[in-house]
Amino acid sequence: MAQIIDGKAVAQRVRDDLKKEVEIFKKQNGFAPGLATVLVGENPASKVYVKNKNKACEGAGMVSEQIVLSDATSEKELLDLVQRLNENPKIHGILVQLPLPKQIRSDKILNAISPAKDVDGFHPVNVGNLVAGNPCLKSCTPFGIMKLLESINYDIAGKNAVIVGRSNIVGKPAALMLLAAHATVTICHSKTQNLPDVVRGADLVVAAIGKPQFVKGSWIKEGAVVIDVGINRLPDGKLVGDVEFDEASKRASAITPVPGGVGPMTIAMLLWNTLEAARAGLAAKNA
Ligand code: NDP
Protein backbone atom coordinates (compact mmCIF):
# COMPACT_ATOMS: atom_id res chain seq x y z
CA MET A 1 0.00 0.00 0.00
CA ALA A 2 1.14 3.51 -0.78
CA GLN A 3 2.48 5.98 1.74
CA ILE A 4 -0.15 8.67 2.25
CA ILE A 5 1.39 12.10 1.81
CA ASP A 6 -0.12 14.11 4.63
CA GLY A 7 -0.58 17.57 3.17
CA LYS A 8 -2.22 18.85 6.32
CA ALA A 9 0.84 17.99 8.41
CA VAL A 10 3.30 19.34 5.83
CA ALA A 11 1.29 22.57 5.50
CA GLN A 12 1.26 22.93 9.30
CA ARG A 13 5.06 22.56 9.37
CA VAL A 14 5.42 25.19 6.65
CA ARG A 15 3.14 27.50 8.65
CA ASP A 16 5.04 26.88 11.90
CA ASP A 17 8.35 27.68 10.17
CA LEU A 18 6.78 30.71 8.59
CA LYS A 19 5.53 32.01 11.93
CA LYS A 20 9.09 31.91 13.28
CA GLU A 21 10.44 33.64 10.17
CA VAL A 22 7.74 36.32 10.42
CA GLU A 23 8.74 36.93 14.07
CA ILE A 24 12.36 37.45 12.99
CA PHE A 25 11.26 39.70 10.13
CA LYS A 26 9.19 41.83 12.52
CA LYS A 27 12.05 42.17 15.01
CA GLN A 28 14.46 43.19 12.27
CA ASN A 29 12.17 45.62 10.47
CA GLY A 30 9.63 46.83 13.01
CA PHE A 31 6.62 45.88 10.91
CA ALA A 32 4.87 42.74 9.67
CA PRO A 33 4.46 41.55 6.09
CA GLY A 34 1.01 42.55 4.83
CA LEU A 35 -1.38 40.77 2.50
CA ALA A 36 -4.37 42.47 0.87
CA THR A 37 -7.16 40.24 -0.35
CA VAL A 38 -9.76 41.60 -2.71
CA LEU A 39 -13.12 39.92 -3.06
CA VAL A 40 -15.55 41.21 -5.66
CA GLY A 41 -19.13 39.96 -5.40
CA GLU A 42 -20.91 37.28 -3.45
CA ASN A 43 -19.54 33.96 -4.78
CA PRO A 44 -19.93 31.70 -1.69
CA ALA A 45 -16.86 29.54 -2.44
CA SER A 46 -14.72 32.66 -2.98
CA LYS A 47 -15.95 34.10 0.33
CA VAL A 48 -14.79 30.97 2.16
CA TYR A 49 -11.40 30.93 0.36
CA VAL A 50 -10.73 34.58 1.17
CA LYS A 51 -11.80 34.17 4.79
CA ASN A 52 -9.45 31.20 5.18
CA LYS A 53 -6.58 33.09 3.57
CA ASN A 54 -7.02 36.07 5.90
CA LYS A 55 -7.31 33.84 8.96
CA ALA A 56 -4.18 31.94 8.02
CA CYS A 57 -2.36 35.19 7.37
CA GLU A 58 -3.18 36.54 10.83
CA GLY A 59 -2.32 33.15 12.35
CA ALA A 60 1.17 33.51 10.91
CA GLY A 61 1.59 36.94 12.52
CA MET A 62 1.15 38.88 9.30
CA VAL A 63 -1.19 41.78 8.62
CA SER A 64 -4.20 41.04 6.47
CA GLU A 65 -6.35 43.67 4.85
CA GLN A 66 -9.60 42.38 3.45
CA ILE A 67 -11.33 44.47 0.82
CA VAL A 68 -14.84 43.45 -0.20
CA LEU A 69 -16.46 45.12 -3.22
CA SER A 70 -19.93 44.78 -4.71
CA ASP A 71 -20.82 42.72 -7.77
CA ALA A 72 -21.40 45.98 -9.63
CA THR A 73 -17.77 47.15 -9.30
CA SER A 74 -16.40 48.37 -12.62
CA GLU A 75 -13.08 47.31 -14.13
CA LYS A 76 -11.78 50.88 -13.73
CA GLU A 77 -12.67 50.92 -10.00
CA LEU A 78 -10.87 47.64 -9.44
CA LEU A 79 -7.85 48.80 -11.46
CA ASP A 80 -7.70 51.97 -9.34
CA LEU A 81 -7.82 49.89 -6.16
CA VAL A 82 -5.03 47.61 -7.40
CA GLN A 83 -2.97 50.72 -8.20
CA ARG A 84 -3.48 52.07 -4.66
CA LEU A 85 -2.46 48.71 -3.20
CA ASN A 86 0.61 48.62 -5.47
CA GLU A 87 1.65 51.96 -3.98
CA ASN A 88 0.80 51.11 -0.34
CA PRO A 89 4.07 50.39 1.49
CA LYS A 90 2.29 48.38 4.21
CA ILE A 91 1.01 45.88 1.65
CA HIS A 92 3.53 43.37 0.28
CA GLY A 93 1.16 40.87 -1.30
CA ILE A 94 -2.02 41.43 -3.32
CA LEU A 95 -4.50 38.69 -4.02
CA VAL A 96 -7.54 39.32 -6.18
CA GLN A 97 -9.84 36.34 -5.75
CA LEU A 98 -11.07 34.78 -9.00
CA PRO A 99 -13.56 34.46 -10.62
CA LEU A 100 -14.42 38.13 -11.14
CA PRO A 101 -17.85 39.42 -12.28
CA LYS A 102 -18.26 39.35 -16.06
CA GLN A 103 -17.83 43.10 -16.61
CA ILE A 104 -14.22 42.80 -15.38
CA ARG A 105 -11.49 41.20 -17.47
CA SER A 106 -9.42 39.01 -15.14
CA ASP A 107 -6.24 39.25 -17.20
CA LYS A 108 -6.44 43.08 -17.15
CA ILE A 109 -6.57 43.01 -13.35
CA LEU A 110 -3.96 40.32 -12.80
CA ASN A 111 -1.57 42.11 -15.16
CA ALA A 112 -2.07 45.37 -13.23
CA ILE A 113 -0.83 43.88 -9.95
CA SER A 114 2.80 44.80 -9.40
CA PRO A 115 4.89 41.66 -10.14
CA ALA A 116 6.69 42.34 -6.84
CA LYS A 117 3.37 41.94 -4.95
CA ASP A 118 1.90 39.18 -7.11
CA VAL A 119 1.75 36.50 -4.40
CA ASP A 120 -0.41 34.23 -6.59
CA GLY A 121 2.44 34.11 -9.12
CA PHE A 122 0.07 34.73 -12.03
CA HIS A 123 1.64 37.91 -13.50
CA PRO A 124 3.34 37.36 -16.88
CA VAL A 125 6.60 38.72 -15.44
CA ASN A 126 6.61 36.04 -12.73
CA VAL A 127 5.55 33.37 -15.22
CA GLY A 128 8.31 34.49 -17.60
CA ASN A 129 10.87 34.36 -14.81
CA LEU A 130 9.69 30.87 -13.92
CA VAL A 131 10.21 29.83 -17.56
CA ALA A 132 13.67 31.40 -17.57
CA GLY A 133 14.63 29.84 -14.23
CA ASN A 134 15.02 33.21 -12.49
CA PRO A 135 13.91 33.92 -8.90
CA CYS A 136 10.22 34.85 -8.85
CA LEU A 137 6.97 34.55 -6.94
CA LYS A 138 5.68 31.09 -7.82
CA SER A 139 2.12 29.92 -8.34
CA CYS A 140 1.00 28.58 -4.94
CA THR A 141 -0.52 25.19 -5.78
CA PRO A 142 2.42 23.83 -7.83
CA PHE A 143 4.83 25.39 -5.33
CA GLY A 144 2.96 23.38 -2.67
CA ILE A 145 3.32 20.23 -4.79
CA MET A 146 7.09 20.73 -4.83
CA LYS A 147 7.07 21.02 -1.01
CA LEU A 148 5.04 17.80 -0.73
CA LEU A 149 7.59 15.96 -2.90
CA GLU A 150 10.38 17.41 -0.76
CA SER A 151 8.58 16.17 2.36
CA ILE A 152 8.92 12.55 1.21
CA ASN A 153 12.51 13.15 0.00
CA TYR A 154 11.48 12.33 -3.54
CA ASP A 155 14.41 12.57 -5.91
CA ILE A 156 12.84 14.27 -8.93
CA ALA A 157 15.94 14.39 -11.17
CA GLY A 158 15.64 12.12 -14.19
CA LYS A 159 12.12 10.92 -13.36
CA ASN A 160 9.33 10.73 -15.95
CA ALA A 161 6.74 13.22 -14.70
CA VAL A 162 3.35 13.19 -16.41
CA ILE A 163 1.06 16.11 -15.68
CA VAL A 164 -2.57 15.78 -16.69
CA GLY A 165 -3.97 19.29 -17.13
CA ARG A 166 -2.39 22.39 -18.66
CA SER A 167 -4.05 25.26 -16.81
CA ASN A 168 -2.07 28.43 -16.16
CA ILE A 169 -2.55 28.06 -12.41
CA VAL A 170 -1.62 24.40 -11.95
CA GLY A 171 -0.56 22.26 -14.92
CA LYS A 172 1.80 24.60 -16.75
CA PRO A 173 3.64 26.03 -13.71
CA ALA A 174 3.87 22.54 -12.18
CA ALA A 175 5.53 21.37 -15.40
CA LEU A 176 8.03 24.23 -15.27
CA MET A 177 8.88 23.63 -11.61
CA LEU A 178 9.39 19.90 -12.21
CA LEU A 179 11.49 20.65 -15.29
CA ALA A 180 13.63 23.01 -13.22
CA ALA A 181 14.09 20.11 -10.78
CA HIS A 182 15.35 18.01 -13.73
CA ALA A 183 12.34 15.77 -14.35
CA THR A 184 11.53 14.70 -17.90
CA VAL A 185 8.12 16.30 -18.22
CA THR A 186 5.07 15.40 -20.33
CA ILE A 187 2.02 17.66 -20.21
CA CYS A 188 -1.29 16.03 -21.14
CA HIS A 189 -4.67 17.63 -21.86
CA SER A 190 -8.06 16.88 -23.35
CA LYS A 191 -6.60 16.25 -26.83
CA THR A 192 -3.87 13.88 -25.67
CA GLN A 193 -4.06 10.50 -27.38
CA ASN A 194 -3.75 7.23 -25.46
CA LEU A 195 -3.72 9.03 -22.10
CA PRO A 196 -3.80 5.80 -20.04
CA ASP A 197 -0.61 4.61 -21.76
CA VAL A 198 1.12 7.94 -21.28
CA VAL A 199 0.25 7.86 -17.56
CA ARG A 200 1.45 4.23 -17.37
CA GLY A 201 4.94 5.47 -18.28
CA ALA A 202 5.05 7.94 -15.39
CA ASP A 203 7.23 7.72 -12.30
CA LEU A 204 5.37 10.78 -11.05
CA VAL A 205 1.76 11.62 -11.93
CA VAL A 206 0.25 15.04 -11.25
CA ALA A 207 -3.49 15.07 -11.91
CA ALA A 208 -5.06 18.54 -12.29
CA ILE A 209 -8.12 17.97 -14.42
CA GLY A 210 -11.23 18.72 -12.39
CA LYS A 211 -13.01 15.42 -13.15
CA PRO A 212 -13.80 13.06 -10.29
CA GLN A 213 -11.65 9.91 -10.23
CA PHE A 214 -10.77 10.34 -13.88
CA VAL A 215 -7.30 8.79 -13.60
CA LYS A 216 -7.83 5.08 -13.03
CA GLY A 217 -5.81 3.03 -10.59
CA SER A 218 -4.89 0.63 -13.41
CA TRP A 219 -3.08 3.49 -15.20
CA ILE A 220 -0.62 3.92 -12.35
CA LYS A 221 2.78 2.29 -12.73
CA GLU A 222 3.82 0.09 -9.81
CA GLY A 223 5.77 2.29 -7.39
CA ALA A 224 4.83 5.64 -8.96
CA VAL A 225 4.21 8.76 -6.88
CA VAL A 226 0.76 10.29 -7.38
CA ILE A 227 -0.15 13.90 -6.65
CA ASP A 228 -3.87 14.55 -6.93
CA VAL A 229 -4.73 18.24 -7.27
CA GLY A 230 -8.39 17.78 -8.12
CA ILE A 231 -11.16 18.81 -5.75
CA ASN A 232 -14.53 17.47 -6.89
CA ARG A 233 -17.76 17.17 -4.97
CA LEU A 234 -19.87 14.10 -5.74
CA PRO A 235 -23.69 14.30 -5.69
CA ASP A 236 -23.66 12.69 -2.20
CA GLY A 237 -21.50 15.57 -0.95
CA LYS A 238 -18.28 13.57 -0.70
CA LEU A 239 -15.07 15.28 -1.82
CA VAL A 240 -12.87 13.30 -4.19
CA GLY A 241 -9.83 14.00 -6.32
CA ASP A 242 -9.08 13.42 -9.99
CA VAL A 243 -7.54 10.01 -9.23
CA GLU A 244 -9.27 6.77 -8.31
CA PHE A 245 -7.66 6.81 -4.89
CA ASP A 246 -8.36 3.30 -3.55
CA GLU A 247 -7.10 1.48 -6.64
CA ALA A 248 -4.21 3.87 -7.29
CA SER A 249 -2.95 3.55 -3.72
CA LYS A 250 -2.55 -0.23 -4.20
CA ARG A 251 0.01 0.44 -6.95
CA ALA A 252 1.61 3.78 -6.04
CA SER A 253 4.51 4.10 -3.61
CA ALA A 254 3.10 7.41 -2.32
CA ILE A 255 -0.11 9.32 -2.96
CA THR A 256 -1.86 12.47 -1.78
CA PRO A 257 -5.39 12.12 -0.37
CA VAL A 258 -8.31 14.41 -1.17
CA PRO A 259 -9.04 16.25 1.03
CA GLY A 260 -5.87 16.73 3.07
CA GLY A 261 -3.27 16.51 0.30
CA VAL A 262 -2.46 19.39 -2.05
CA GLY A 263 -5.31 21.61 -0.81
CA PRO A 264 -3.80 22.74 2.52
CA MET A 265 -0.48 23.52 0.80
CA THR A 266 -1.91 26.25 -1.42
CA ILE A 267 -2.65 28.68 1.42
CA ALA A 268 0.61 27.82 3.19
CA MET A 269 2.58 28.75 0.07
CA LEU A 270 0.55 31.94 -0.38
CA LEU A 271 1.71 33.02 3.07
CA TRP A 272 5.25 32.03 2.24
CA ASN A 273 5.09 34.15 -0.93
CA THR A 274 3.86 37.12 1.10
CA LEU A 275 6.89 36.93 3.39
CA GLU A 276 9.17 36.51 0.36
CA ALA A 277 7.56 39.55 -1.30
CA ALA A 278 8.11 41.62 1.86
CA ARG A 279 11.75 40.54 2.04
CA ALA A 280 12.35 41.18 -1.66
CA GLY A 281 10.67 44.59 -1.40
CA LEU A 282 13.06 45.58 1.37
CA ALA A 283 16.04 44.22 -0.52
CA ALA A 284 15.06 46.31 -3.56
CA LYS A 285 14.68 49.41 -1.37
CA ASN A 286 18.05 48.91 0.27
CA ALA A 287 19.86 48.11 -3.00
P1 NDP B 1 -8.84 23.77 -15.53
O1 NDP B 1 -10.26 23.45 -15.80
O2 NDP B 1 -8.33 25.14 -15.75
O3 NDP B 1 -7.93 22.77 -16.38
C1 NDP B 1 -8.23 21.43 -16.49
C2 NDP B 1 -7.24 20.76 -17.40
O4 NDP B 1 -7.61 19.39 -17.50
C3 NDP B 1 -7.24 21.34 -18.83
O5 NDP B 1 -5.92 21.52 -19.26
C4 NDP B 1 -7.95 20.28 -19.64
O6 NDP B 1 -7.48 20.13 -20.96
C5 NDP B 1 -7.60 19.02 -18.87
N1 NDP B 1 -8.59 17.99 -19.15
C6 NDP B 1 -9.95 18.10 -19.10
N2 NDP B 1 -10.52 16.96 -19.50
C7 NDP B 1 -9.51 16.12 -19.83
C8 NDP B 1 -9.46 14.80 -20.35
N3 NDP B 1 -10.59 14.12 -20.62
N4 NDP B 1 -8.27 14.23 -20.55
C9 NDP B 1 -7.13 14.92 -20.29
N5 NDP B 1 -7.11 16.18 -19.82
C10 NDP B 1 -8.29 16.77 -19.59
O7 NDP B 1 -8.58 23.28 -14.04
P2 NDP B 1 -7.52 23.75 -12.92
O8 NDP B 1 -6.13 23.43 -13.34
O9 NDP B 1 -7.84 25.11 -12.46
O10 NDP B 1 -7.97 22.75 -11.74
C11 NDP B 1 -7.89 21.36 -11.87
C12 NDP B 1 -8.45 20.72 -10.62
O11 NDP B 1 -7.63 21.08 -9.52
C13 NDP B 1 -9.86 21.17 -10.23
O12 NDP B 1 -10.52 20.06 -9.61
C14 NDP B 1 -9.64 22.24 -9.21
O13 NDP B 1 -10.72 22.35 -8.29
C15 NDP B 1 -8.40 21.72 -8.52
N6 NDP B 1 -7.58 22.77 -7.91
C16 NDP B 1 -7.16 22.53 -6.64
C17 NDP B 1 -6.34 23.44 -6.01
C18 NDP B 1 -5.86 23.13 -4.63
O14 NDP B 1 -5.53 24.03 -3.91
N7 NDP B 1 -5.78 21.85 -4.27
C19 NDP B 1 -5.95 24.71 -6.64
C20 NDP B 1 -6.38 24.81 -8.01
C21 NDP B 1 -7.18 23.87 -8.60
P3 NDP B 1 -7.67 21.30 -22.09
O15 NDP B 1 -6.64 22.33 -21.74
O16 NDP B 1 -7.40 20.60 -23.36
O17 NDP B 1 -9.06 21.80 -21.93
Side-chain angles (χ1 to χ4, degrees), residues 69-187:
L69 302 174
S70 90
D71 252 328
T73 303
S74 70
E75 188 175 279
K76 167 87 172 56
E77 284 166 327
L78 188 53
L79 282 171
D80 289 346
L81 170 67
V82 166
Q83 198 48 42
R84 287 198 298 280
L85 293 170
N86 282 342
E87 286 161 12
N88 183 341
K90 291 187 181 141
I91 296 300
H92 306 96
I94 303 170
L95 181 145
V96 178
Q97 185 65 45
L98 302 178
L100 291 168
K102 55 183 182 320
Q103 72 275 16
I104 303 177
R105 288 166 292 179
S106 305
D107 58 339
K108 262 271 193 212
I109 303 301
L110 297 181
N111 293 357
I113 296 173
S114 161
K117 298 189 178 189
D118 166 42
V119 283
D120 261 335
F122 294 162
H123 193 284
V125 166
N126 282 315
V127 176
N129 278 324
L130 183 63
V131 173
N134 297 331
C136 59
L137 290 166
K138 298 188 180 82
S139 182
C140 301
T141 301
F143 194 11
I145 293 173
M146 299 306 283
K147 282 273 166 201
L148 288 176
L149 293 172
E150 196 183 301
S151 78
I152 57 163
N153 296 318
Y154 186 65
D155 184 9
I156 298 168
K159 297 292 192 323
N160 267 334
V162 170
I163 299 161
V164 193
R166 57 174 162 180
S167 70
N168 288 337
I169 63 169
V170 188
K172 282 184 205 163
L176 290 165
M177 288 179 210
L178 289 166
L179 184 63
H182 311 299
T184 302
V185 178
T186 306
I187 309 175

Side-chain angles (χ1 to χ4, degrees), residues 49 122 140-142 145 163-172 187-192 195 207-212 214-215 219 228-233 240-242 258 261-267:
Y49 293 146
F122 294 162
C140 301
T141 301
I145 293 173
I163 299 161
V164 193
R166 57 174 162 180
S167 70
N168 288 337
I169 63 169
V170 188
K172 282 184 205 163
I187 309 175
C188 302
H189 46 77
S190 64
K191 304 287 186 289
T192 298
L195 182 65
I209 309 158
K211 293 193 169 158
F214 181 82
V215 174
W219 302 2
D228 191 351
V229 185
I231 304 176
N232 310 289
R233 201 170 283 285
V240 296
D242 288 345
V258 177
V262 176
M265 296 303 295
T266 300
I267 290 187

Side-chain angles (χ1 to χ4, degrees), residues 17 22 29 46 72 103 144 161 189 192 219 234 260-261 272 279 287:
D17 288 350
V22 169
N29 301 295
S46 295
Q103 72 275 16
H189 46 77
T192 298
W219 302 2
L234 296 180
W272 195 258
R279 283 174 171 160

